[in-house]
């Protein structure tokens, strides 16, 4: 009864048990040992997926101006970095290519070239790390289209079904190269089912599928588009006819339900921190392995404020990642993954 009163307090004069000073919430916060005892959420290296930008060349690295601390790596350096990620206990990495502009066209034909940058990176990383790290590939056309859209453009519109056919071929090329997880990030309708069916059909039933299930048309992707060189291609264009409207939450549940029904093994919510409510709802509704993407703009924001001395980077990056866990994430894609894994290892 007193417990019920605690949560649904009756008017003060009818309460039978005193609350304060018997109940003092600060008791469990008094010392580090006590806080550790009652902590509900924790972050470990197992929670991290590291997105890596790859570029042409060998022995090459180039900083991403809007993402301090992040570099594009040539395939050889990416492979070495993945070996380090494996040592740090990071379970998976995700590859994003900066494609030579000369190889981009309206039809995104480079996306299905088995010798493209991503496929070469997959093979080199596999050779370096064996099976110790999962290799994830983004399935979407934007790094490969001259117009920077994730789909094919016909008469000024992004067409759905023709794009899905090409995405299926892209996913198969990535699976042939040896990737472990395909992650469609394009938001076309029906792509998860089409990709899953093709993988099964072609003997790739082992390949996991992580769906960018609730992906919003967000302005927080800006620095990423610089990193992969799609910002100038996209120009003033936007992705609002396929990525979700930031005002919608119920719709995210429908998107996730569809992707699960079509065969997704894991689902993702993106961006991360401004969409923690969506993450919690998705986790509660479906109980699926659920991931969040701390996107480029979130990373850039924290870095920029820290560079000004306005925020403590070490503290805010940890706090932000823990917040994802508390909101229900089983894992987080974050550009800070190696740094965080290193810190967690040092304890
Ligand atoms: C490509 C893709 C994007 C991101 C991941 N995959 C950009 C976009 O949809 O425009 C964004 C990641 C980030 O901002 O860190 N479809």
């Amino acid at each position: 009864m007193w417990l019920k009163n605690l949560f649904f307090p009756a008017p003060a004069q009818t309460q039978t048990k005193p609350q304060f000073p018997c109940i003092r919430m600060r008791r469990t916060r008094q010392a580090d040992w006590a806080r550790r005892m009652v902590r509900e959420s924790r972050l470990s290296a197992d929670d991290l997926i590291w997105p890596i930008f790859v570029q042409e060349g060998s022995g090459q690295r180039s900083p991403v101006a809007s993402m301090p601390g992040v570099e594009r790596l040539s395939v050889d350096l990416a492979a070495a970095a993945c070996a380090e990620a494996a040592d740090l206990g990071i379970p998976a990495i995700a590859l994003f290519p900066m494609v030579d502009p000369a190889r981009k066209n309206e039809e995104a034909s480079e996306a299905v070239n088995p010798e493209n940058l991503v496929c070469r990176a997959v093979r080199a990383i596999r050779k370096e790390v064996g099976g110790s790290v999962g290799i994830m590939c983004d399935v979407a056309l934007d790094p490969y289209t001259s117009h920077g859209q994730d789909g094919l453009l016909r008469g000024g519109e992004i067409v759905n079904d023709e794009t899905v056919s090409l995405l299926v071929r892209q996913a198969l090329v990535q699976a042939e190269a040896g990737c472990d997880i395909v992650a469609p990030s394009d938001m076309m309708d029906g792509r998860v089912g089409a990709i899953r069916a093709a993988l099964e059909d072609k003997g790739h039933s082992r390949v996991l599928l992580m769906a960018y299930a609730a992906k919003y048309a967000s302005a927080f992707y800006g620095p990423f588009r610089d990193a992969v060189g799609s910002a100038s291609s996209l120009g003033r264009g936007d992705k609002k006819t396929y990525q979700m409207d930031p005002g919608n939450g119920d719709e995210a549940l429908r998107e996730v339900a569809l992707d699960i029904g079509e065969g997704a093994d894991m689902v993702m919510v993106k961006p991360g921190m401004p969409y923690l409510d969506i993450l919690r709802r998705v986790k509660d509704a479906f109980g699926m392995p659920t991931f969040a993407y701390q996107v480029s703009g979130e990373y850039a924001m924290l870095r920029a404020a820290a560079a000004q001395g306005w925020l403590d980077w070490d503290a805010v990056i940890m706090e932000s990642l823990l917040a994802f866990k508390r909101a229900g994430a089983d894992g987080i894609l974050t550009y800070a993954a190696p740094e965080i894994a290193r810190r967690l290892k040092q304890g």
Side-chain angles (χ1 to χ4, degrees):
M1 186 61 190
W2 72 270
L3 199 62
K4 183 168 165 279
N5 286 344
L6 181 66
F7 288 115
F8 307 101
Q13 64 274 23
T14 66
Q15 278 181 8
T16 49
K17 287 274 182 198
Q19 296 193 13
F20 178 82
C22 290
I23 296 173
R24 289 178 182 270
M25 296 304 288
R26 293 183 56 193
R27 259 196 294 271
T28 52
R29 299 174 197 150
Q30 64 179 285
D32 184 60
W33 62 263
R35 292 190 292 270
R36 283 191 283 127
M37 274 179 81
V38 301
R39 188 165 297 143
E40 298 167 37
S41 303
R42 287 195 163 73
L43 186 67
S44 92
D46 291 333
D47 298 315
L48 304 172
I49 299 176
W50 183 25
I52 303 178
F53 298 115
V54 288
Q55 64 172 53
E56 293 291 350
S58 85
Q60 303 280 314
R61 55 175 81 236
S62 59
V64 179
S66 49
M67 301 176 71
V70 173
E71 296 176 312
R72 307 176 193 89
L73 302 174
S74 56
V75 167
D76 55 330
L77 297 185
C82 289
E84 198 199 336
D87 286 345
L88 290 169
I90 295 174
I93 59 101
L95 293 174
F96 296 96
M98 183 167 78
V99 176
D100 177 355
R103 294 194 165 271
K104 299 187 185 195
N105 57 32
E106 296 247 319
E107 301 304 306
S109 48
E110 181 68 3
V112 295
N113 173 5
E115 289 304 317
N116 71 21
L117 180 57
V118 158
C119 291
R120 280 181 277 128
V122 169
R123 289 192 290 266
I125 293 168
R126 175 66 67 225
K127 210 170 153 197
E128 185 80 27
V129 303
S132 59
V133 173
I135 305 173
M136 180 160 131
C137 289
D138 218 54
V139 184
L141 304 182
D142 54 317
Y144 306 98
T145 50
S146 43
H147 45 69
Q149 295 284 356
D150 293 27
L152 295 168
L153 206 48
R154 299 283 181 255
E157 291 199 3
I158 301 298
V159 289
N160 194 87
D161 301 4
E162 203 184 333
T163 298
V164 169
S165 306
L166 195 56
L167 295 171
V168 165
R169 289 173 56 204
Q170 181 184 21
L172 286 174
V173 160
Q174 294 168 344
E176 296 291 342
C179 91
D180 301 290
I181 309 171
V182 289
S185 72
D186 54 285
M187 290 299 279
M188 298 299 131
D189 288 324
R191 90 282 203 212
V192 169
I195 292 169
R196 186 72 265 168
L199 290 171
E200 294 295 322
D201 191 46
K202 302 285 186 205
H204 297 295
S205 56
R206 169 198 73 84
V207 173
L208 283 78
L209 196 153
M210 180 186 289
Y212 284 72
K215 175 170 176 178
Y216 286 84
S218 171
F220 284 98
Y221 308 148
F224 172 95
R225 294 176 189 168
D226 286 335
V228 300
S230 67
S232 53
S233 319
L234 191 61
R236 298 177 70 84
D238 65 54
K239 303 188 177 184
K240 292 179 184 170
T241 70
Y242 45 103
Q243 298 178 348
M244 280 184 56
D245 188 311
N248 296 348
D250 294 343
E251 187 186 328
L253 299 186
R254 292 184 66 204
E255 282 284 4
V256 172
L258 284 167
D259 286 359
I260 296 169
E262 289 177 31
D265 302 293
M266 304 174 273
V267 295
M268 190 206 295
V269 172
K270 174 181 176 196
M273 216 149 70
Y275 295 83
L276 290 183
D277 58 324
I278 307 298
L279 175 61
R280 167 50 67 196
R281 289 179 68 185
V282 166
K283 185 64 185 177
D284 285 350
F286 302 104
M288 284 285 285
T290 305
F291 294 78
Y293 200 141
Q294 182 178 52
V295 300
S296 55
E298 299 173 58
Y299 176 90
M301 231 165 31
L302 299 181
R303 277 286 191 204
Q308 296 282 336
W310 295 339
L311 287 176
D312 173 348
W313 165 258
D314 286 354
V316 290
I317 188 67
M318 274 296 184
E319 182 179 332
S320 67
L321 295 172
L322 188 62
F324 285 109
K325 292 283 295 181
R326 194 198 58 238
D330 295 293
I332 309 130
L333 288 91
T334 174
Y335 298 97
E339 172 187 337
I340 298 300
R342 224 169 280 128
R343 273 167 59 188
L344 290 170
K345 202 172 180 176
Q346 284 157 7

mmCIF file of all heavy atoms in Angstrom, residues 96 138 140 142 150 185 212 215 220-221 224-225 239 243 270 293 295-296 335, ligand 1:
data_model
loop_
_atom_site.group_PDB
_atom_site.id
_atom_site.type_symbol
_atom_site.label_atom_id
_atom_site.label_comp_id
_atom_site.label_asym_id
_atom_site.label_seq_id
_atom_site.Cartn_x
_atom_site.Cartn_y
_atom_site.Cartn_z
ATOM 1 N N PHE A 96 32.029 3.061 -46.059
ATOM 2 C CA PHE A 96 31.435 4.103 -46.899
ATOM 3 C C PHE A 96 32.506 4.624 -47.853
ATOM 4 O O PHE A 96 33.545 5.111 -47.402
ATOM 5 C CB PHE A 96 30.898 5.248 -46.028
ATOM 6 C CG PHE A 96 29.770 4.803 -45.143
ATOM 7 C CD1 PHE A 96 30.009 4.430 -43.820
ATOM 8 C CD2 PHE A 96 28.470 4.732 -45.620
ATOM 9 C CE1 PHE A 96 28.972 3.995 -43.003
ATOM 10 C CE2 PHE A 96 27.432 4.304 -44.813
ATOM 11 C CZ PHE A 96 27.679 3.928 -43.504
ATOM 12 N N ASP A 138 26.982 -0.483 -46.866
ATOM 13 C CA ASP A 138 25.786 0.303 -47.101
ATOM 14 C C ASP A 138 25.235 -0.022 -48.484
ATOM 15 O O ASP A 138 25.979 -0.079 -49.456
ATOM 16 C CB ASP A 138 26.171 1.786 -47.060
ATOM 17 C CG ASP A 138 25.124 2.654 -46.399
ATOM 18 O OD1 ASP A 138 24.744 2.339 -45.257
ATOM 19 O OD2 ASP A 138 24.688 3.636 -47.026
ATOM 20 N N ALA A 140 22.998 1.585 -51.086
ATOM 21 C CA ALA A 140 22.338 2.824 -51.515
ATOM 22 C C ALA A 140 23.173 3.363 -52.661
ATOM 23 O O ALA A 140 24.363 3.051 -52.772
ATOM 24 C CB ALA A 140 22.261 3.858 -50.389
ATOM 25 N N ASP A 142 23.751 6.685 -53.476
ATOM 26 C CA ASP A 142 24.244 8.074 -53.439
ATOM 27 C C ASP A 142 25.747 8.270 -53.626
ATOM 28 O O ASP A 142 26.150 9.273 -54.205
ATOM 29 C CB ASP A 142 23.736 8.806 -52.183
ATOM 30 C CG ASP A 142 24.057 8.077 -50.900
ATOM 31 O OD1 ASP A 142 23.886 6.842 -50.860
ATOM 32 O OD2 ASP A 142 24.471 8.715 -49.926
ATOM 33 N N ASP A 150 19.890 8.763 -53.633
ATOM 34 C CA ASP A 150 20.052 7.338 -53.305
ATOM 35 C C ASP A 150 19.386 6.431 -54.332
ATOM 36 O O ASP A 150 19.538 5.210 -54.276
ATOM 37 C CB ASP A 150 19.431 7.030 -51.935
ATOM 38 C CG ASP A 150 20.185 7.698 -50.802
ATOM 39 O OD1 ASP A 150 20.816 8.743 -51.050
ATOM 40 O OD2 ASP A 150 20.138 7.178 -49.676
ATOM 41 N N SER A 185 20.303 1.579 -46.908
ATOM 42 C CA SER A 185 20.102 2.878 -46.251
ATOM 43 C C SER A 185 19.315 3.821 -47.149
ATOM 44 O O SER A 185 19.295 5.018 -46.925
ATOM 45 C CB SER A 185 21.457 3.509 -45.913
ATOM 46 O OG SER A 185 22.096 3.951 -47.088
ATOM 47 N N TYR A 212 18.206 0.035 -42.415
ATOM 48 C CA TYR A 212 17.983 1.409 -41.988
ATOM 49 C C TYR A 212 16.467 1.566 -42.088
ATOM 50 O O TYR A 212 15.944 2.009 -43.105
ATOM 51 C CB TYR A 212 18.655 2.394 -42.930
ATOM 52 C CG TYR A 212 20.161 2.549 -42.827
ATOM 53 C CD1 TYR A 212 21.031 1.552 -43.264
ATOM 54 C CD2 TYR A 212 20.719 3.738 -42.339
ATOM 55 C CE1 TYR A 212 22.408 1.730 -43.203
ATOM 56 C CE2 TYR A 212 22.102 3.919 -42.288
ATOM 57 C CZ TYR A 212 22.933 2.917 -42.719
ATOM 58 O OH TYR A 212 24.291 3.106 -42.670
ATOM 59 N N LYS A 215 14.638 5.794 -41.177
ATOM 60 C CA LYS A 215 15.671 6.781 -41.510
ATOM 61 C C LYS A 215 14.987 8.063 -41.955
ATOM 62 O O LYS A 215 14.165 8.058 -42.864
ATOM 63 C CB LYS A 215 16.577 6.252 -42.615
ATOM 64 C CG LYS A 215 17.586 7.275 -43.100
ATOM 65 C CD LYS A 215 18.617 6.665 -44.008
ATOM 66 C CE LYS A 215 19.556 7.735 -44.550
ATOM 67 N NZ LYS A 215 20.601 7.160 -45.401
ATOM 68 N N PHE A 220 21.088 16.508 -40.327
ATOM 69 C CA PHE A 220 22.268 16.099 -39.561
ATOM 70 C C PHE A 220 23.240 15.240 -40.377
ATOM 71 O O PHE A 220 24.254 14.807 -39.854
ATOM 72 C CB PHE A 220 21.856 15.347 -38.292
ATOM 73 C CG PHE A 220 21.326 16.239 -37.201
ATOM 74 C CD1 PHE A 220 19.965 16.406 -37.015
ATOM 75 C CD2 PHE A 220 22.196 16.924 -36.362
ATOM 76 C CE1 PHE A 220 19.476 17.232 -36.008
ATOM 77 C CE2 PHE A 220 21.714 17.752 -35.352
ATOM 78 C CZ PHE A 220 20.356 17.904 -35.181
ATOM 79 N N TYR A 221 22.916 14.941 -41.638
ATOM 80 C CA TYR A 221 23.831 14.132 -42.461
ATOM 81 C C TYR A 221 24.851 14.978 -43.218
ATOM 82 O O TYR A 221 25.645 14.439 -43.993
ATOM 83 C CB TYR A 221 23.055 13.296 -43.497
ATOM 84 C CG TYR A 221 21.933 12.449 -42.963
ATOM 85 C CD1 TYR A 221 20.799 12.195 -43.742
ATOM 86 C CD2 TYR A 221 21.997 11.882 -41.696
ATOM 87 C CE1 TYR A 221 19.748 11.414 -43.259
ATOM 88 C CE2 TYR A 221 20.948 11.114 -41.210
ATOM 89 C CZ TYR A 221 19.826 10.886 -41.995
ATOM 90 O OH TYR A 221 18.791 10.128 -41.523
ATOM 91 N N PHE A 224 28.628 13.991 -43.385
ATOM 92 C CA PHE A 224 28.807 12.707 -44.082
ATOM 93 C C PHE A 224 28.873 12.932 -45.588
ATOM 94 O O PHE A 224 29.692 12.347 -46.295
ATOM 95 C CB PHE A 224 27.641 11.774 -43.749
ATOM 96 C CG PHE A 224 27.606 10.483 -44.541
ATOM 97 C CD1 PHE A 224 28.167 9.315 -44.032
ATOM 98 C CD2 PHE A 224 26.993 10.424 -45.796
ATOM 99 C CE1 PHE A 224 28.127 8.126 -44.757
ATOM 100 C CE2 PHE A 224 26.947 9.243 -46.526
ATOM 101 C CZ PHE A 224 27.519 8.096 -46.002
ATOM 102 N N ARG A 225 27.996 13.792 -46.072
ATOM 103 C CA ARG A 225 27.958 14.034 -47.520
ATOM 104 C C ARG A 225 29.234 14.720 -47.985
ATOM 105 O O ARG A 225 29.666 14.523 -49.117
ATOM 106 C CB ARG A 225 26.688 14.800 -47.891
ATOM 107 C CG ARG A 225 25.430 13.955 -47.635
ATOM 108 C CD ARG A 225 24.122 14.702 -47.893
ATOM 109 N NE ARG A 225 22.984 13.907 -47.424
ATOM 110 C CZ ARG A 225 21.748 14.383 -47.295
ATOM 111 N NH1 ARG A 225 21.486 15.645 -47.614
ATOM 112 N NH2 ARG A 225 20.769 13.599 -46.864
ATOM 113 N N LYS A 239 16.056 14.664 -49.919
ATOM 114 C CA LYS A 239 15.673 13.254 -50.018
ATOM 115 C C LYS A 239 14.302 13.005 -49.391
ATOM 116 O O LYS A 239 14.006 11.912 -48.916
ATOM 117 C CB LYS A 239 16.768 12.389 -49.367
ATOM 118 C CG LYS A 239 18.157 12.608 -49.985
ATOM 119 C CD LYS A 239 19.207 11.624 -49.479
ATOM 120 C CE LYS A 239 20.546 11.846 -50.194
ATOM 121 N NZ LYS A 239 21.583 10.852 -49.796
ATOM 122 N N GLN A 243 13.160 9.472 -47.666
ATOM 123 C CA GLN A 243 13.457 9.407 -46.231
ATOM 124 C C GLN A 243 12.281 10.008 -45.462
ATOM 125 O O GLN A 243 11.496 10.784 -45.998
ATOM 126 C CB GLN A 243 14.758 10.172 -45.949
ATOM 127 C CG GLN A 243 15.954 9.543 -46.675
ATOM 128 C CD GLN A 243 17.260 10.290 -46.466
ATOM 129 O OE1 GLN A 243 17.279 11.417 -45.951
ATOM 130 N NE2 GLN A 243 18.357 9.683 -46.890
ATOM 131 N N LYS A 270 17.701 6.230 -37.348
ATOM 132 C CA LYS A 270 18.732 7.192 -37.753
ATOM 133 C C LYS A 270 18.091 8.511 -38.145
ATOM 134 O O LYS A 270 17.102 8.478 -38.876
ATOM 135 C CB LYS A 270 19.489 6.601 -38.944
ATOM 136 C CG LYS A 270 20.487 7.514 -39.581
ATOM 137 C CD LYS A 270 21.135 6.825 -40.739
ATOM 138 C CE LYS A 270 22.054 7.840 -41.412
ATOM 139 N NZ LYS A 270 22.440 7.426 -42.725
ATOM 140 N N TYR A 293 22.147 5.142 -35.115
ATOM 141 C CA TYR A 293 23.291 5.735 -35.800
ATOM 142 C C TYR A 293 23.505 7.136 -35.262
ATOM 143 O O TYR A 293 22.674 8.006 -35.450
ATOM 144 C CB TYR A 293 23.014 5.774 -37.305
ATOM 145 C CG TYR A 293 24.231 5.918 -38.206
ATOM 146 C CD1 TYR A 293 24.312 5.212 -39.405
ATOM 147 C CD2 TYR A 293 25.302 6.756 -37.889
ATOM 148 C CE1 TYR A 293 25.406 5.335 -40.255
ATOM 149 C CE2 TYR A 293 26.400 6.874 -38.728
ATOM 150 C CZ TYR A 293 26.451 6.172 -39.916
ATOM 151 O OH TYR A 293 27.528 6.305 -40.754
ATOM 152 N N VAL A 295 24.883 10.077 -36.084
ATOM 153 C CA VAL A 295 25.311 10.460 -37.431
ATOM 154 C C VAL A 295 26.359 11.568 -37.415
ATOM 155 O O VAL A 295 26.659 12.160 -36.366
ATOM 156 C CB VAL A 295 24.111 10.860 -38.325
ATOM 157 C CG1 VAL A 295 23.137 9.695 -38.447
ATOM 158 C CG2 VAL A 295 23.431 12.119 -37.814
ATOM 159 N N SER A 296 26.859 11.840 -38.602
ATOM 160 C CA SER A 296 27.976 12.776 -38.767
ATOM 161 C C SER A 296 27.705 14.124 -38.110
ATOM 162 O O SER A 296 28.598 14.697 -37.461
ATOM 163 C CB SER A 296 28.269 12.957 -40.251
ATOM 164 O OG SER A 296 27.111 13.372 -40.954
ATOM 165 N N TYR A 335 31.264 7.357 -35.036
ATOM 166 C CA TYR A 335 32.594 7.647 -35.570
ATOM 167 C C TYR A 335 33.632 7.638 -34.457
ATOM 168 O O TYR A 335 34.823 7.598 -34.724
ATOM 169 C CB TYR A 335 32.576 8.989 -36.312
ATOM 170 C CG TYR A 335 31.620 8.940 -37.488
ATOM 171 C CD1 TYR A 335 30.316 9.431 -37.394
ATOM 172 C CD2 TYR A 335 31.998 8.326 -38.672
ATOM 173 C CE1 TYR A 335 29.419 9.342 -38.453
ATOM 174 C CE2 TYR A 335 31.113 8.224 -39.740
ATOM 175 C CZ TYR A 335 29.829 8.731 -39.627
ATOM 176 O OH TYR A 335 28.949 8.612 -40.668
HETATM 177 C C1 LIG B 1 23.597 7.014 -47.656
HETATM 178 C C2 LIG B 1 23.866 7.281 -46.228
HETATM 179 C C3 LIG B 1 23.855 8.512 -45.561
HETATM 180 C C4 LIG B 1 24.295 8.263 -44.282
HETATM 181 C C5 LIG B 1 24.540 6.896 -44.176
HETATM 182 N N1 LIG B 1 24.266 6.303 -45.384
HETATM 183 C C6 LIG B 1 23.565 9.876 -46.047
HETATM 184 C C7 LIG B 1 22.242 10.205 -46.587
HETATM 185 O O1 LIG B 1 21.288 9.440 -46.505
HETATM 186 O O2 LIG B 1 22.161 11.290 -47.171
HETATM 187 C C8 LIG B 1 24.477 9.328 -43.229
HETATM 188 C C9 LIG B 1 25.454 9.012 -42.155
HETATM 189 C C10 LIG B 1 25.922 10.178 -41.365
HETATM 190 O O3 LIG B 1 25.464 11.333 -41.513
HETATM 191 O O4 LIG B 1 26.803 9.953 -40.521
HETATM 192 N N2 LIG B 1 22.320 6.708 -48.019
#
